[in-house]
Amino acid sequence: MTTSLSKNIKALIIAASVLACTGCVRDNLDHRRKSCELKIRITDNGGNDITGSATIDNVFLYLFCGKGNFVERIPVSAEDIRAGRPVRVEYDGLDRITAIVWGNINGPNIEMDGIGAGTNLSQQLYLRLKDHSLSGNRSEGDTENRSPRELHYGRKTIDARKGVGSFDEEITVKSTVAKVNVVTKHLRRWTGCDDWTRFSFVVYGTRDRLSFAESKAEGNPAVYRPSLELDPDISTAKATLTTFPCYHEPLVELRIYHDGQMVYGVNRYDDGTPFKVYAGEELDIYVTFDAGGTIHVTVEPWDDGGQHTEF
């Protein structure tokens, strides 16, 4: 009884959503395509198909009519995506459907605006980073954002205005986060402090939210304080994090704190190239504090003799 009632309620919600899209409907519905088999394909930034190997779960397909009104949210299993099994989309009477796919959105460090009946794509809808106050070795007033896990996004407009019956479509989904790798060498020697617990790295300047409809990075500067990984020789410290992308000013900045005070900050390499992070790519920052007091900031490791070398 409860199951039947739930199905009836869902059918009424979908019907109401379709009625809200009446501006998308043409008079002659007999010539409308009735269904679409939508295949989800995951690629890297180079366009290479990584559907079978991508780490993806919690995938949802959001459907909107041509006027931007919400129609339905469909959960899609990772197994179906990897196996190439399409999602069947059936909405008679719609001229156009906008399909938006988000993957891995249920992670603990992301909160998403509610998407449902009454939602329109013209609204300001976001995925936001969760945050909390920094503790321990910190700068007063800083707020730390939680690093997001890998997120995937894709969008496609499906045109159903010509043809009849069923047809096939494919939507391409890509990573919408970036990775930042920071490596410092001889920092302890440069500061004269041997206690790593008194240091922290802060990556500042990327955005703290993504738009739902376009996966565009917006909002306030995000602040991350990643954990430090120390090499056995204790001369090198590494930190890695994922972040939303940042293409424009303000630039990404690395800040190094000692006892809560910033002792070093940088947002460009030695050659003047600014730090920028792009969706699906990595930003490598190598900072070498050499014995002569010179600081080298490079995209590749710098040895003590001032030459690029494999790290």
Side-chain angles (χ1 to χ4, degrees):
M1 184 71 172
T2 303
T3 302
S4 297
L5 180 59
S6 299
K7 289 183 177 178
N8 289 336
I9 291 174
K10 181 179 180 181
L12 288 172
I13 292 174
I14 294 175
S17 299
V18 172
L19 287 175
C21 302
T22 52
C24 311
V25 181
R26 297 192 305 182
D27 293 334
N28 187 1
L29 301 184
D30 293 336
H31 297 287
R32 201 60 43 83
R33 293 173 171 177
K34 304 301 182 183
S35 65
C36 166
E37 299 289 333
L38 183 63
K39 183 178 178 180
I40 298 173
R41 187 169 73 100
I42 306 173
T43 69
D44 60 20
N45 273 23
N48 301 303
D49 194 322
I50 58 171
T51 305
S53 60
T55 302
I56 189 167
D57 54 40
N58 297 315
V59 182
F60 292 94
L61 169 64
Y62 297 84
L63 301 176
F64 300 82
C65 75
K67 294 178 68 176
N69 294 320
F70 172 83
V71 176
E72 189 179 8
R73 185 185 82 156
I74 303 173
V76 186
S77 73
E79 291 74 19
D80 285 344
I81 294 175
R82 294 191 184 98
R85 289 189 285 268
V87 181
R88 190 172 182 83
V89 178
E90 297 184 84
Y91 286 102
D92 294 345
L94 298 183
D95 276 344
R96 187 179 289 105
I97 297 172
T98 297
I100 295 177
V101 173
W102 277 100
N104 298 347
I105 60 174
N106 286 356
N109 298 339
I110 295 290
E111 54 188 5
M112 184 174 180
D113 288 340
I115 310 293
T119 300
N120 189 279
L121 285 177
S122 63
Q123 297 173 240
Q124 299 297 308
L125 305 167
Y126 295 102
L127 287 78
R128 295 179 172 84
L129 294 174
K130 293 182 180 179
D131 59 69
H132 57 276
S133 296
L134 286 168
S135 60
N137 183 15
R138 59 183 290 272
S139 174
E140 292 299 326
D142 277 345
T143 297
E144 178 185 332
N145 293 104
R146 301 179 182 180
S147 187
R149 62 183 298 202
E150 183 75 34
L151 290 171
H152 292 84
Y153 162 86
R155 174 171 173 160
K156 187 178 185 68
T157 298
I158 301 170
D159 191 345
R161 290 176 294 180
K162 52 186 178 180
V164 294
S166 181
F167 62 103
D168 297 332
E169 288 281 1
E170 183 175 88
I171 183 169
T172 299
V173 175
K174 297 181 180 180
S175 173
T176 189
V177 298
K179 188 175 181 180
V180 179
N181 304 302
V182 177
V183 179
T184 66
K185 196 169 184 179
H186 304 311
L187 174 61
R188 296 195 316 164
R189 180 179 65 189
W190 182 72
T191 59
C193 177
D194 289 334
D195 185 358
W196 275 117
T197 65
R198 297 167 65 183
F199 291 93
S200 65
F201 294 176
V202 171
V203 176
Y204 176 89
T206 61
R207 305 294 94 182
D208 66 354
R209 67 189 184 191
L210 291 176
S211 64
F212 167 82
E214 298 178 344
S215 185
K216 181 181 178 182
E218 301 179 17
N220 298 316
V223 179
Y224 301 94
R225 187 183 64 168
S227 300
L228 298 184
E229 176 187 343
L230 307 179
D231 269 9
D233 64 2
I234 313 298
S235 68
T236 302
K238 304 176 183 178
T240 298
L241 62 98
T242 55
T243 178
F244 291 162
C246 181
Y247 314 124
H248 308 293
E249 301 283 355
L251 303 175
V252 178
E253 182 178 357
L254 167 65
R255 299 175 178 178
I256 298 177
Y257 288 87
H258 177 257
D259 289 341
Q261 300 296 317
M262 191 173 79
V263 294
Y264 180 72
V266 64
N267 61 14
R268 297 174 184 273
Y269 295 109
D270 284 353
D271 64 3
T273 302
F275 296 161
K276 294 183 180 181
V277 286
Y278 297 90
E281 298 185 4
E282 297 190 18
L283 173 69
D284 295 321
I285 304 172
Y286 290 88
V287 184
T288 303
F289 301 87
D290 71 18
T294 303
I295 302 173
H296 302 282
V297 184
T298 56
V299 71
E300 296 177 348
W302 188 279
D303 70 7
D304 291 333
Q307 300 293 321
H308 285 170
T309 183
E310 291 300 322
F311 190 80

